[in-house]
Structure formats: C-alpha cells, structure tokens
Amino acid sequence: MKIDVTNWAILDALQHNARLSNAEIGRKVGLSSPAVAERIKKMEDYGVLEGYTANVSYTKIGYQLKAMITLRAFMGRLKPFLIKVSEFKEVVNCYRITGNENIIMEVVLKDQIHLQEFIDRLITYGEVKTHIILSNLIENSPIIDHKKIDKTKI
Amino acid sequence: MKIDVTNWAILDALQHNARLSNAEIGRKVGLSSPAVAERIKKMEDYGVLEGYTANVSYTKIGYQLKAMITLRAFMGRLKPFLIKVSEFKEVVNCYRITGNENIIMEVVLKDQIHLQEFIDRLITYGEVKTHIILSNLIENSPIIDHKKIDKTKI
DNA sequence: AATGAAATATACTCCCT
DNA sequence: AGGGAGTATATTTCATT
C-alpha cells in the first residue's frame, strides 16, 4: 500500500491523539471529513492502522514498579511458558528474541513483594534476569515518514 | 484517585478501542454520554489517562526488523547518549534499567543494513547487545483491575 | 455525580465531479 | 479519490435531581 504525504499526516495526527474527530484531522491535513474517514478505513483494511489504545498511567493505578525480565528457558520448558504467559496479567509486552535469552517481557508490578512473587512463578520455566526500569527516556515514540528518518542519520 | 468499577470498564473499553465515541462507551458501561465524558475528563486531569495512540504496523510501512538493544555505557558516555537518543527516530521505547546494562531500547529497522548502521551509531557510547525480535507474544496488553490480577496468581 | 433537553458539531450515506 | 448535501448521531452546555 502506498502511503502518501496526506496519509503520513493522518498517521501522525492519530499517533499523537487517536481520539481526534475526523473533522479535526481533516482541518490539520486539508481534507474533508468523509475523505479522512475513507483514508483511515483503507489504512485499517490494509493493516497499516492496527488499532487505537489509551495510555493508562501504571503508577496512578497502583503499579509502582516496572521491569524488563528475560527468560532463558530450561530444556522442554519454553513451550509450557508460551502457553502460560498469556495468563500473566502483569506482562504488558512479551517478545521471543534471538541471543542467549529466549524471551523478554515488560512487566508492571505493585511492589517488591509482587515482583518476588512474579519471579517465583517464572523460575520454574528457566533462568530469569530482572532489570528494574528506572525511567522512561522514550515511550511509544510515533513512527514517522521514512524520509524523515533518513535525514537524522549522522 | 478512586477508580470504581465503572471507571475500570471505561478504561477497558478505551484500551481496546480509543476511538469509541462516548455514546458507545456509555452503552457498554450503562451510562449516558455526558456522564462518560465527565469521567474521562477527570481521569485525564488526574493523569490516569495519559493519552490515546494509534498502533501503526511496522512491517506494513517498510520496517522489516524489530530489535531489543541494550547498552552498557563507557565511562562518561551515558550522558552524551541520553542527550542524543531522542534524535534516533528508530527508537520506539527506551528505558534506563538496573543491572549490568544501563539502557534497553526497542528499535524498528528497515533491514539488516539499517540495523548495522544503527549499531555503528551506538558503539561510540558503549557496549551494545542486539536481540532480534522474532515474534510478539503479548503486545500492549491492557491493564485491568487489581482484583482481576490477584485472581490469576499461583 | 448522573440525567434529560436544546444547540452545535460531527459522522455517515449517497451522488456528483 | 475527494467534495457537497441531507440525514442520523454525537458532543456540549446547562438546568434539575
């Protein structure tokens, strides 16, 4: 699918505020509201726009700790973990990765006791390494046009 | 701020589709549209709702590779990196972490050449470890009510 | 804190270009 | 692929409980 300058502008607007009305987006990009609706629908249909999510503050709802946890699965324990992980509600993101570890997870936790309990659940599946997140330098940075990326190179 | 059952239902709806109208959310949670608007505004003001983002497919817009990259900064090179990292448009998420490494980044890249170029930019700041992401097992899992989390423990 | 009603704004559908 | 018109729906404000 070809993403022209107008669609990049729409993607940019939606990545900054997904709850903008089509009319508001139209004003930003110089299009009528039906035209915006049509372009958004096409990008949804092509899978360019996968969905729209609200960013909820972890700390404001009682999760004081965030951690990146890696797992190096024991022999025969990766598959059981892959089945089980979807039940771990603390896991916000979970990726299969190359390298010494098989899995990396981004996890939200209420406190140290919660962290300890969570690690206890993991250690039956493999070797666990825990990295507490101290601060977020970049969070969900919007994706922009390729050409803009090229310009930032050295 | 107290988040009651109704607000949890609103947060759940918005995390699944942030572009739902207030009226549609109201139908889900059993509230009128002005009541929904008022509750959302309060949660925004208290910082519980931090924003609304569109999820754009990396692969569909030409980024074939995703990686988790860690950095163990050389002496005196962490600060320069922290200043520079916001210019790296490939970095979607970046965290300061505890442990042997100082930084972990989630990065999107066009191809292997792009990955190589990106690593070249990083190695002036410290020791780099690259983990290619093979698949996403859990992505941006919505945060739900504490009580629901407690039920999943064991 | 929620509802219902009135005014404004937006979305949706259809037709035209 | 986008604009414009008409209809349905949604948002916003305000009064009321």
Side-chain angles (χ1 to χ4, degrees), chain B residues 17-36:
Chain B
N17 183 5
R19 273 180 80 74
L20 286 176
S21 68
N22 294 341
E24 282 169 306
I25 296 166
R27 270 171 234 131
K28 282 177 191 284
V29 307
L31 231 57
S32 68
S33 121
V36 172

Side-chain angles (χ1 to χ4, degrees), chain A residues 108-127:
Chain A
V108 291
L109 303 147
K110 282 187 263 180
D111 46 39
Q112 292 95 323
I113 295 164
H114 192 181
L115 171 60
Q116 181 176 300
E117 285 169 355
F118 186 73
I119 292 170
D120 285 347
R121 274 185 271 159
L122 285 183
I123 52 177
T124 62
Y125 297 98
E127 195 186 312

Side-chain angles (χ1 to χ4, degrees), chain B residues 79-113:
Chain B
K79 265 197 179 159
F81 172 81
L82 297 179
I83 293 161
K84 192 75 181 171
V85 67
S86 58
E87 292 178 29
F88 295 157
K89 303 302 184 202
E90 294 91 344
V91 179
V92 177
N93 286 294
C94 181
Y95 305 106
R96 279 231 31 200
I97 52 170
T98 63
N100 197 42
E101 288 84 24
N102 313 113
I103 297 288
I104 188 157
M105 289 167 270
E106 191 177 332
V107 174
V108 291
L109 303 146
K110 283 186 262 180
D111 46 39
Q112 292 95 323
I113 295 164

Side-chain angles (χ1 to χ4, degrees), chain A residues 5-49:
Chain A
V5 182
T6 309
N7 274 348
W8 274 114
I10 292 171
L11 289 177
D12 191 55
L14 283 173
Q15 285 180 96
H16 280 97
N17 183 4
R19 273 179 80 73
L20 285 176
S21 67
N22 293 341
E24 282 169 306
I25 296 166
R27 269 171 236 130
K28 282 177 192 280
V29 306
L31 232 56
S32 69
S33 124
V36 171
E38 202 180 330
R39 277 170 173 269
I40 288 176
K41 198 185 175 310
K42 272 188 188 163
M43 289 196 280
E44 287 171 349
D45 291 343
Y46 278 96
V48 172
L49 277 167

Side-chain angles (χ1 to χ4, degrees), chain A residues 18-20 22 48 50-53 55 57 61 63 93-96 106 121 134 137-138 140 146 149, chain B residues 18-20 22 48 50-53 55 57 61 63 93-96 106 134 137-138 140 146 149 154:
Chain A
R19 273 179 80 73
L20 285 176
N22 293 341
V48 172
E50 296 178 318
Y52 312 96
T53 53
N55 305 325
S57 166
I61 58 170
Y63 293 89
N93 286 294
C94 181
Y95 305 106
R96 279 236 24 207
E106 191 177 332
R121 274 185 271 159
L134 301 170
L137 300 164
I138 295 172
N140 284 320
H146 297 191
I149 285 191
Chain B
R19 273 180 80 74
L20 286 176
N22 294 341
V48 172
E50 296 178 317
Y52 312 95
T53 54
N55 305 326
S57 166
I61 58 169
Y63 293 89
N93 286 294
C94 181
Y95 305 106
R96 279 231 31 200
E106 191 177 332
L134 301 170
L137 301 163
I138 295 172
N140 284 320
H146 297 191
I149 284 192
I154 278 300

Side-chain angles (χ1 to χ4, degrees), chain B residues 53-67:
Chain B
T53 54
N55 305 326
V56 175
S57 166
Y58 302 103
T59 51
K60 290 276 167 68
I61 58 169
Y63 293 89
Q64 300 305 327
L65 273 178
K66 223 173 146 182

Side-chain angles (χ1 to χ4, degrees), chain B residues 99-149:
Chain B
N100 197 42
E101 288 84 24
N102 313 113
I103 297 288
I104 188 157
M105 289 167 270
E106 191 177 332
V107 174
V108 291
L109 303 146
K110 283 186 262 180
D111 46 39
Q112 292 95 323
I113 295 164
H114 192 181
L115 171 60
Q116 181 177 299
E117 286 168 356
F118 186 73
I119 292 170
D120 285 347
R121 275 184 269 159
L122 285 183
I123 51 178
T124 62
Y125 297 99
E127 194 185 313
V128 175
K129 275 185 198 164
T130 306
H131 305 267
I132 304 289
I133 292 174
L134 301 170
S135 62
N136 293 26
L137 301 163
I138 295 172
E139 184 151 36
N140 284 320
S141 170
I143 305 178
I144 57 166
D145 194 352
H146 297 191
K147 292 149 203 161
K148 291 188 186 167
I149 284 192

